[in-house]
Amino acid sequence: MMKRYHSFLFTTFICFLLPAVASVSAQPLAPINTEGQTFVEALMRRMTLHEKLGQLNLQVAGDITTGQAQGTHIGGAIARGDIGGVFNIKGADKIRALQDIAVRQSRLGIPLLVGMDVIHGYETVFPIPLALSCSWDLDAAEEVARISAHEASADGIAWTFSPMVDVALDARWGRISEGSGEDPLLAGLFGAAMVRGYQGSDMADADRLMSCVKHFALYGAVESGRDYNTVDMSHVRMFNQYFPPYRCAIDAGAGSVMTSFNLVDGIPATANKWLVCNVLRHAWGYDGLVVTDYASISEILNHGTAESLREASMQALTATTDMDMCAQGFLHLDNETLTSDELKLVDEACRRVLEAKWRLGLFRDPYARLDEHRRERDIASSEHRDAARRIAAETFVLLKNDAVLPLKKSARIALIGPLADNRVNMDGTWAVASCPERNMTLLEAMQETVAGRGEVRYAQGCNLISDSTLQAASEFGKTIARGNEQALHDEALAVALDADVIVCAMGECADMSGESSSRSDLLLPDAQRHLLQKLVQLGKPVVLLNFAGRPTVLTWEQEHVDAIMNVWFGGTEAAPAICDVLFGDRAPQGRLTVSMPRATGQEPLYYNHLRTGRPAGREWHKYQSNYLDTSVEPLYPFGYGLTYTTFSYSPITLSTNEISMSDSITVSVNVTNTGLREGCEVVQLYICDRVARVARPVKELKDFERISLQPGETRTVRFTLCADKFQYFDGEGNICIDPGLFDIMVGPNSRDVQTAIFNLVGTNTVF
Ligand code: NOJ
């Protein structure tokens, strides 16, 4: 009885809070129409158990040759009805060959679902998601997804495994690059924007994709930042910090959700009935397709929570996970005797797969995304490349500038570093469909920018990393030349001596972040650090362009280098976009969505942490929560970023000092551009609930506004907060709101805020 009561509460009220976390207009996935339902029911009546299980089977297509698809292993399996979908195959001709087999040769002619990891662009590659989030520009995120869908669908793809909305607090985790950073509000808003961009108003349209919100759930919390490691988390943290982004993206109408590799409360997410069935399906009302991550069903055996593939598969089906990526666990269930309850689970899963195909319009026309005229017109068009350049320029975060930037186009520039003359690394991780040969190198773009006025001379300067084995593992096929370290240094120092300014293109190569790319040390790679130290000793102005898929420890660099700009991995147009900002045709606009640490040992490091009984003070004191050897503060806080102008903030004005639970409060601040050129500012609003029944974070982002101001211009920025912004979850999943004092903080980043206080009047409420 107790249990049922709890789940009722949970189910009812979890639905209330989460939309309040994000203000995006939500359009959850609607049931398919009656015609679709009748069609799917009729189809399922004709299907054998084997054919139903086949629909639940998602396979990597491998690189087939068109015309020979028939003779391949995958072709044969599709013809037998063993496969419901394939993924990560590029080329409309190849996809057409496989679709032909499904439609013309399998007994029931059910079309294939064709997916791909279209994570940050297709052939036109946009900045990695972490970079994109640093734009704080939700329209840009939606545009990236829309263009990605346009291009991928022109090449036969119908489904993308994106967005990833896993909150990531530990920069050692390589996949921090694939998400939107450490804040749940931002991660949800970016996820929702991408869902809208991929799917449009109707994902059946031939230029749209079905999105897949991943990785459900908590994958970003792998212990020690080590990929595929275990996760163990309190429910308070789960409900308040990790679940909201999934919910927000799902409420934006995502057609599918991918389960994560990790444990949730000791049970693998893929087989976790509480997570998938109770939370996702019942509490959040989600009836879309749930797919596993790669081989997650067979990995249940490694987790030690099932003894056989059959048992693992049944656990996943019972959890209402529908589609099995690569483990082939479901497929082989037809060799077993299934109970009527088990058969019902198979039916439900099969229905959801077929409904996804219906939603995508595949039954109406399996070839709609295989129009051969589209490739030429729709992929890598100049319009898409222009968007990529514009958006990439929005993502760079200027961390320091001692009056060196923007550079003069007439300058004599030494461009140094292993990433300066490299095109394949510009795309960053997970750019499956990219054509890196089309990317410009930074050297080419800089030479083009200064042509006829200045001069750019280049030297590689050093290896990526001094250890060649580590370099090879980090490159993952995107090779960076290696040479004799001394000779490389000598050449670089000679080039630098002759220059007005030294620009260093350094940092991580593309695959030092992303999947299976965890690092225990977040400094610039050793060989590059050593060279940078030598270059600084020349006494010339030094600019560091930091290529990164995660926060880097730049403590030494902050002290010694004149200007630092994080350029992440900007995609196809990264090089010209860097030049746009470097030479001042555009101003930097990015603001960090991750805290940048002073030392790797500070990780996990994030601004919205809970309070402790012994908070660290400014000075070191024994028996306080601090480090002997470094500060507890980040080097650059969440929300931080400079530009080529400056802004001042007036004191905060509150519309009232007291509100009731049904009121709202308006917070206003005047922001003035106090510099000499136009600039973009991201005005950020945080709150802190001073006293609550469950400890609340020191700060939580609740709203923000991007504004652009001319020199001398002042704008009043107003935020209206309703009482729902002050709610939180307790560990049971109940929504709580506690009266009392709240701090309202407004500023250009999470550190440099001014604070006003108001009183929320009422009684402790649990919904
Ligand atoms: C494994 C990754 O975790 C996931 O994000 C990706 O979508 C799948 N592989 C498919 O490539």
Side-chain angles (χ1 to χ4, degrees):
M1 192 58 200
M2 193 57 208
K3 248 189 170 161
R4 283 185 52 197
Y5 176 65
H6 168 83
S7 95
F8 167 75
L9 264 184
F10 181 77
T11 305
T12 311
F13 295 114
I14 204 168
C15 303
F16 276 105
L17 179 67
L18 288 161
V21 174
S23 53
V24 161
S25 65
Q27 286 188 318
L29 193 69
I32 60 168
N33 61 18
T34 325
E35 185 195 350
Q37 286 169 19
T38 313
F39 176 87
V40 168
E41 273 165 29
L43 179 58
M44 283 185 59
R45 276 197 294 274
R46 294 168 58 211
M47 292 172 81
T48 62
L49 175 62
H50 181 87
E51 283 163 335
K52 288 175 185 168
L53 292 167
Q55 286 304 305
L56 313 188
N57 187 24
L58 176 66
Q59 287 296 304
V60 177
D63 197 18
I64 60 146
T65 315
T66 318
Q68 293 172 358
Q70 180 73 56
T72 61
H73 166 73
I74 197 99
I78 293 169
R80 286 193 301 278
D82 287 358
I83 290 184
V86 293
F87 69 102
N88 286 357
I89 173 171
K90 187 180 176 196
D93 48 351
K94 296 175 185 178
I95 293 173
R96 176 178 284 276
L98 295 182
Q99 197 64 286
D100 265 343
I101 299 175
V103 171
R104 298 180 207 282
Q105 294 178 34
S106 72
R107 189 179 75 91
L108 294 169
I110 301 175
L112 289 171
L113 193 53
V114 182
M116 185 185 262
D117 285 284
V118 183
I119 305 294
H120 51 112
Y122 188 70
E123 286 195 8
T124 304
V125 180
F126 291 90
I128 56 167
L130 179 61
L132 187 59
S133 70
C134 290
S135 70
W136 294 58
D137 182 349
L138 300 174
D139 293 337
E142 192 167 334
E143 187 177 358
V144 165
R146 181 182 56 75
I147 293 175
S148 307
H150 201 69
E151 293 198 358
S153 63
D155 230 2
I157 306 294
W159 184 22
T160 176
F161 303 136
S162 169
M164 177 181 117
V165 296
D166 303 315
V167 165
L169 308 182
D170 193 327
R172 291 172 296 179
W173 190 48
R175 301 196 80 171
I176 197 170
S177 56
E178 291 180 57
S180 298
E182 69 196 36
D183 184 75
L185 172 69
L186 271 184
L189 292 176
F190 270 91
M194 297 204 73
V195 167
R196 292 195 303 272
Y198 288 131
Q199 297 186 175
S201 55
D202 184 356
M203 67 174 104
D205 293 341
D207 61 349
R208 295 295 182 170
L209 303 177
M210 177 166 74
S211 66
C212 184
V213 173
K214 69 187 188 186
H215 305 82
F216 192 64
L218 320 182
Y219 183 25
V222 282
E223 278 183 8
S224 320
R226 181 157 53 83
D227 210 2
Y228 317 127
N229 200 6
T230 201
V231 170
D232 198 0
M233 182 184 293
S234 78
H235 278 225
V236 169
R237 170 168 270 189
M238 205 182 284
F239 294 143
N240 289 291
Q241 209 172 356
Y242 279 79
F243 277 176
Y246 304 111
R247 178 73 197 274
C248 189
I250 286 163
D251 276 354
S256 66
V257 171
M258 184 186 293
T259 58
S260 55
F261 289 126
N262 51 278
L263 300 175
V264 174
D265 272 338
I267 297 174
T270 296
N272 194 314
K273 191 169 176 204
W274 175 80
L275 181 74
V276 184
C277 188
N278 295 12
V279 176
L280 177 67
R281 301 240 187 251
H282 294 161
W284 299 358
Y286 187 71
D287 195 34
L289 171 66
V290 175
V291 61
T292 75
D293 201 346
Y294 205 107
S296 289
I297 292 183
S298 44
E299 289 176 14
I300 292 173
L301 304 185
N302 297 342
H303 283 295
T305 52
E307 278 188 333
S308 63
L309 189 57
R310 183 207 197 270
E311 191 185 354
S313 304
M314 277 326 305
Q315 287 176 356
L317 274 179
T318 307
T320 68
T321 298
D322 304 316
M323 204 168 197
D324 166 5
M325 186 190 285
C326 294
Q328 306 219 24
F330 292 163
L331 187 66
H332 294 118
L333 286 176
D334 72 335
N335 300 327
E336 316 275 340
T337 313
L338 299 186
T339 65
S340 61
D341 281 348
E342 290 172 340
L343 288 170
K344 268 192 212 141
L345 291 169
V346 172
D347 276 352
E348 277 300 281
C350 179
R351 171 182 66 77
R352 284 189 286 260
V353 172
L354 297 176
E355 286 186 357
K357 293 183 176 184
W358 175 272
R359 284 194 173 93
L360 280 164
L362 289 171
F363 289 113
R364 195 177 55 213
D365 180 3
Y367 299 98
R369 292 176 182 81
L370 290 163
D371 170 352
E372 59 200 24
H373 303 297
R374 277 188 63 194
R375 161 159 267 283
E376 189 61 27
R377 192 187 61 213
D378 291 352
I379 298 182
S381 64
S382 59
E383 189 197 322
H384 292 178
R385 293 191 67 140
D386 288 349
R389 180 167 174 170
R390 170 171 43 81
I391 291 170
E394 281 188 33
T395 67
F396 307 143
V397 184
L398 184 62
L399 298 170
K400 178 179 180 187
N401 187 15
D402 272 352
V404 182
L405 297 181
L407 297 180
K408 291 194 177 63
K409 289 183 184 165
S410 55
R412 282 183 311 145
I413 300 166
L415 174 63
I416 292 172
L419 299 168
D421 189 22
N422 189 303
R423 62 187 94 248
V424 287
N425 273 284
M426 301 308 261
D427 291 331
T429 184
W430 259 141
V432 181
S434 84
C435 300
E437 65 283 359
R438 296 189 199 139
N439 301 349
M440 282 177 106
T441 69
L442 186 57
L443 175 61
E444 288 165 347
M446 278 177 75
Q447 283 171 334
E448 196 176 285
T449 308
V450 304
R453 281 183 273 183
E455 187 194 356
V456 180
R457 288 184 60 207
Y458 158 76
Q460 176 174 332
C462 61
N463 293 310
L464 181 75
I465 307 171
S466 57
D467 178 333
S468 59
T469 315
L470 184 53
Q471 175 166 334
S474 305
E475 287 167 351
F476 199 56
K478 296 175 186 152
T479 307
I480 293 170
R482 283 192 70 80
N484 174 285
E485 204 72 48
Q486 189 58 50
L488 291 170
H489 275 207
D490 292 347
E491 186 196 6
L493 291 172
V495 168
L497 267 181
D498 205 29
D500 304 328
V501 56
I502 303 167
V503 175
C504 298
M506 295 184 171
E508 298 185 322
C509 63
D511 286 286
M512 280 173 81
S513 63
E515 189 173 349
S516 186
S517 292
S518 297
R519 292 178 65 198
S520 68
D521 177 354
L522 301 176
L523 293 167
L524 274 188
D526 57 357
Q528 301 181 58
R529 216 168 58 240
H530 299 151
L531 174 65
L532 186 61
Q533 286 162 357
K534 285 193 181 167
L535 291 170
V536 163
Q537 280 167 14
L538 296 178
K540 294 184 180 253
V542 176
V543 177
L544 171 62
L545 297 175
N546 184 38
F547 287 79
R550 56 153 63 80
T552 316
V553 170
L554 295 172
T555 309
W556 183 90
E557 291 77 359
Q558 166 65 22
E559 216 174 300
H560 297 94
V561 174
D562 301 278
I564 307 174
M565 187 157 72
N566 245 44
V567 293
W568 313 108
F569 291 98
T572 309
E573 294 294 319
I578 291 172
C579 291
D580 290 342
V581 176
L582 198 60
F583 292 96
D585 291 333
R586 299 197 59 190
Q589 298 184 28
R591 302 292 187 271
L592 294 173
T593 56
V594 275
S595 303
M596 298 265 281
R598 289 167 193 273
T600 308
Q602 290 180 306
E603 296 292 337
L605 181 70
Y606 50 97
Y607 84 95
N608 46 358
H609 55 86
L610 296 175
R611 283 170 280 184
T612 106
R614 296 186 176 192
R618 279 182 181 275
E619 306 289 317
W620 183 89
H621 285 292
K622 199 147 179 81
Y623 307 119
Q624 289 190 329
S625 178
N626 49 32
Y627 297 105
L628 279 171
D629 52 358
T630 192
S631 150
V632 294
E633 298 297 330
L635 182 64
Y636 308 110
F638 174 87
Y640 177 83
L642 305 170
T643 183
Y644 294 154
T645 186
T646 46
F647 300 95
S648 72
Y649 283 63
S650 73
I652 302 175
T653 313
L654 300 184
S655 57
T656 169
N657 291 327
E658 202 165 273
I659 62 166
S660 74
M661 303 268 180
S662 54
D663 286 341
S664 62
I665 184 168
T666 301
V667 183
S668 319
V669 68
N670 294 334
V671 183
T672 305
N673 181 343
T674 48
L676 297 175
R677 56 177 287 172
E678 186 190 355
C680 175
E681 174 70 322
V682 181
V683 184
Q684 300 160 36
L685 182 141
Y686 300 85
I687 67 154
C688 172
D689 186 348
R690 286 199 172 179
V691 180
R693 283 163 289 170
V694 176
R696 304 298 304 132
V698 292
K699 270 176 200 148
E700 291 174 90
L701 181 74
K702 287 290 167 179
D703 210 344
F704 61 90
E705 192 172 326
R706 289 175 83 242
I707 53 171
S708 180
L709 296 178
Q710 295 296 330
E713 187 184 350
T714 297
R715 176 98 42 92
T716 304
V717 177
R718 284 190 189 80
F719 300 103
T720 299
L721 307 175
C722 299
D724 60 3
K725 292 275 187 200
F726 309 113
Q727 297 169 340
Y728 65 90
F729 284 109
D730 67 12
E732 309 286 305
N734 303 310
I735 294 174
C736 302
I737 183 160
D738 297 356
L741 296 180
F742 282 79
D743 292 329
I744 300 270
M745 294 161 273
V746 178
N749 60 64
S750 59
R751 181 189 60 198
D752 303 319
V753 291
Q754 23 173 343
T755 306
I757 301 165
F758 84 95
N759 193 12
L760 180 66
V761 198
T763 49
N764 279 350
T765 309
V766 176
F767 294 100

